[in-house]
Amino acid sequence: GKLENGCVVFVPGWLVGRRKKNFMVLGKKRSGASGSSGVEDGFEGVKVEVLLGCNGGIWIQRALTALENLGTETPNPEVVQSIRNDHARTGMLLVERRVVSRVRNAVEALKLVRCRITPENIEGVVKASAVTIGVEVKDMLKPDVVVRITQCTRTNNHR
């Protein structure tokens, strides 16, 4: 298939651990979180899909929210293809582009400090960069900033 509305990042394969599921959605509101608006987690209310390839290829895109709205029953393949086509034709909003870029830079920062690429580590670096430290996306890969935003991976033993 054709990859659209996202970006690909390549990291050494040994940084991506084996997981039961390699496809995940980041930035979703946690059930039971009191008053969670999505802003305090660094995702600004935007859901991002991440596909972690065991070979080190990582695909990041905005989430296909229309598929979530179909319910629990298995949708018709034609409907799914139509939703994917609509998703590909629809341009990304500025906030979506900023969040996808922040997630991409979080993966790059983890790669630079040779830390495991896990959903928990990605979310921790995104939160550290957006909320705790409050750094702009364009500044996330500066050497001094990389050390600060990845500090959470060393203190929480997420390695």
Side-chain angles (χ1 to χ4, degrees):
K2 198 172 179 185
L3 300 175
E4 297 175 307
N5 284 331
C7 64
V8 67
V9 181
F10 291 101
V11 302
W14 55 270
L15 286 178
V16 180
R18 291 197 166 274
R19 303 186 66 81
K20 195 170 189 178
K21 292 171 65 174
N22 287 1
F23 182 79
M24 68 244 12
V25 178
L26 303 178
K28 57 186 171 192
K29 294 179 187 169
R30 305 282 188 256
S31 58
S34 58
S36 176
S37 66
V39 175
E40 54 277 340
D41 66 357
F43 287 92
E44 303 180 46
V46 175
K47 293 182 182 181
V48 177
E49 295 175 347
V50 178
L51 176 63
L52 298 175
C54 291
N55 62 352
I58 299 173
W59 174 252
I60 305 165
Q61 72 175 16
R62 67 179 173 170
L64 287 163
T65 53
L67 283 179
E68 294 174 0
N69 298 335
L70 290 178
T72 56
E73 61 185 63
T74 306
N76 184 345
E78 289 84 20
V79 172
V80 172
Q81 188 59 44
S82 172
I83 289 172
R84 288 190 176 157
N85 289 340
D86 290 343
H87 182 263
R89 281 192 299 271
T90 306
M92 291 177 73
L93 300 173
L94 181 60
V95 67
E96 293 170 333
R97 188 176 305 272
R98 184 172 48 241
V99 172
V100 167
S101 298
R102 188 173 294 279
V103 172
R104 180 227 177 259
N105 284 354
V107 171
E108 286 286 346
L110 289 167
K111 178 176 91 171
L112 288 172
V113 297
R114 291 173 170 54
C115 185
R116 296 289 255 173
I117 310 294
T118 65
E120 297 81 16
N121 283 348
I122 295 171
E123 287 178 331
V125 172
V126 167
K127 182 175 181 177
S129 69
V131 180
T132 309
I133 298 173
V135 64
E136 292 288 324
V137 175
K138 65 183 174 83
D139 298 326
M140 284 178 67
L141 297 178
K142 291 182 177 176
D144 58 323
V145 176
V146 168
V147 172
R148 290 175 35 217
I149 64 177
T150 58
Q151 183 64 37
C152 63
T153 64
R154 291 183 289 282
T155 57
N156 294 336
N157 295 324
H158 284 207
R159 288 189 143 211

